[in-house]
Amino acid sequence: MTYEETAVSQTIDRLLSDRHDLDAAADGVLDNLDQFHIGGAGAVELLIPTLALAHGDVVLDVGSGFGGPARQIARRTGNHVMGIDITPSYVDAARDLTARAGLGDLVQFHAGDITDFPLDPAFDAALTMHVQMNVRDKTTWFRHIAERLTPGARLAVWEVCQPHRADLPWPMPWSLDGTDSFLVSADTLLACVKEAGFATVEWTNESTWVQDWITKTFANGLPAGPALPMLLDDGYTRVINYATALADGSLEIWRGCFTKNADQD
Ligand SMILES: C[S@@+](CC[C@H](N)C(=O)[O-])C[C@H]1O[C@@H](n2cnc3c(N)ncnc32)[C@H](O)[C@@H]1O
């Protein structure tokens, strides 16, 4: 199984104690470490305006990982963000990094599945980045997200799609051996989100943007630490395999913005 690293907080402590020159609380300093998706902080910047947040809106981040996107949204907008994630050690790390960043009043995390999370009060917006690849029944999963949103709420997604069946080089960031990977095409994913009770605002293939981001980010080789692959089992192989599959077109990245249908409970 993937996501079995149990000592993430300890690894982060060690990496940061080696870098006294870094102010880990400063905006952007840990972007190479705590953004667990292709496109890093730049991808989150693409999603933020699509959430159309108003003052006081509360945001749900489903599959929040180490909390980089949640903290970035809170920093940029001042809105409260609740992250939920099924991996307890990742939630512990997200909480530790949030405390270091002094954002504990705005950003909280819940360890568990979306189905464990209360239906009330409903959230005003949601995002999910690089999570649905691990979910077999995508329509039901997006329906659980819809149930926790107010009517008309925005949902932003940043997702990996597979345009055609092809063998992939495992391990990938979301799966060590492919047994817990459930990739679908962009058309199929869009159909699942709509069937779950969302209307489409935008559904855009961002694969070219991602290639540009990869070229810029890795122009001088792999970024110096602390960096995400240092937190993950077989981290560098997973990142290199992923970049290879994106470059040869085996995988695509799609960005979506949706609104929850008014008649959806
Ligand atoms: C590739 S990481 C993305 C993390 C975060 N969204 C980001 O972009 O930085 C995938 C995350 O999804 C979580 N995850 C996988 N399946 C999940 C599920 N059914 N519900 C909630 N979280 C899940 C994993 O624990 C992991 O933290």
Side-chain angles (χ1 to χ4, degrees):
M1 282 297 290
T2 315
Y3 311 127
E4 292 211 318
E5 301 86 357
T6 51
V8 183
S9 289
Q10 291 89 324
T11 308
I12 291 172
D13 276 347
R14 183 176 46 76
L15 292 171
L16 293 180
S17 66
D18 289 345
R19 289 296 306 271
H20 290 296
D21 54 315
L22 289 184
D23 174 5
D27 188 4
V29 167
L30 297 185
D31 282 352
N32 287 335
L33 180 82
D34 65 6
Q35 303 276 355
F36 193 168
H37 52 261
I38 200 77
V44 182
E45 292 299 324
L46 294 178
L47 299 193
I48 289 174
T50 72
L51 291 170
L53 295 175
H55 179 72
D57 281 353
V58 183
V59 182
L60 177 66
D61 181 2
V62 186
S64 42
F66 307 124
R71 284 185 294 278
Q72 190 176 337
I73 291 168
R75 276 188 165 119
R76 296 285 176 277
T77 69
N79 290 87
H80 282 82
V81 185
M82 169 63 72
I84 88 164
D85 198 288
I86 51 165
T87 307
S89 61
Y90 289 12
V91 170
D92 289 344
R95 287 180 178 142
D96 288 352
L97 287 167
T98 301
R100 282 180 197 270
L103 289 167
D105 288 347
L106 280 182
V107 184
Q108 275 92 42
F109 296 94
H110 170 87
D113 188 82
I114 183 96
T115 50
D116 309 330
F117 205 77
L119 290 171
D120 191 41
F123 291 88
D124 305 295
L127 70 149
T128 183
M129 304 180 78
H130 279 46
V131 182
Q132 58 75 33
M133 306 90 77
N134 290 118
V135 176
R136 191 192 295 267
D137 182 350
K138 299 179 197 304
T139 302
T140 302
W141 190 72
F142 279 109
R143 197 170 282 138
H144 287 310
I145 297 176
E147 284 168 358
R148 282 150 183 87
L149 300 180
T150 55
R154 290 281 179 102
L155 168 69
V157 310
W158 181 254
E159 289 310 335
V160 188
C161 295
Q162 190 175 30
H164 44 79
R165 286 262 146 242
D167 288 338
L168 292 172
W170 306 103
M172 285 284 180
W174 63 92
S175 178
L176 293 175
D177 60 7
T179 56
D180 50 356
S181 176
F182 306 101
L183 291 164
V184 294
S185 69
D187 286 350
T188 301
L189 184 58
L190 178 62
C192 293
V193 177
K194 286 160 75 170
E195 201 184 336
F198 291 96
T200 312
V201 177
E202 205 180 342
W203 184 236
T204 305
N205 186 343
E206 296 285 6
S207 304
T208 302
W209 182 94
V210 164
Q211 280 309 320
D212 290 347
W213 181 87
I214 290 173
T215 303
K216 271 187 241 143
T217 304
F218 299 107
N220 298 314
L222 294 167
L228 176 72
M230 298 171 179
L231 302 184
L232 305 177
D233 295 339
D234 220 354
Y236 283 99
T237 309
R238 288 159 78 178
V239 170
I240 290 164
N241 285 346
Y242 188 22
T244 303
L246 288 165
D248 71 17
S250 306
L251 295 174
E252 297 174 343
I253 301 299
W254 285 73
R255 178 175 59 81
C257 171
F258 305 91
T259 52
K260 176 183 164 170
N261 293 334
D263 58 356
Q264 189 76 18
D265 287 332

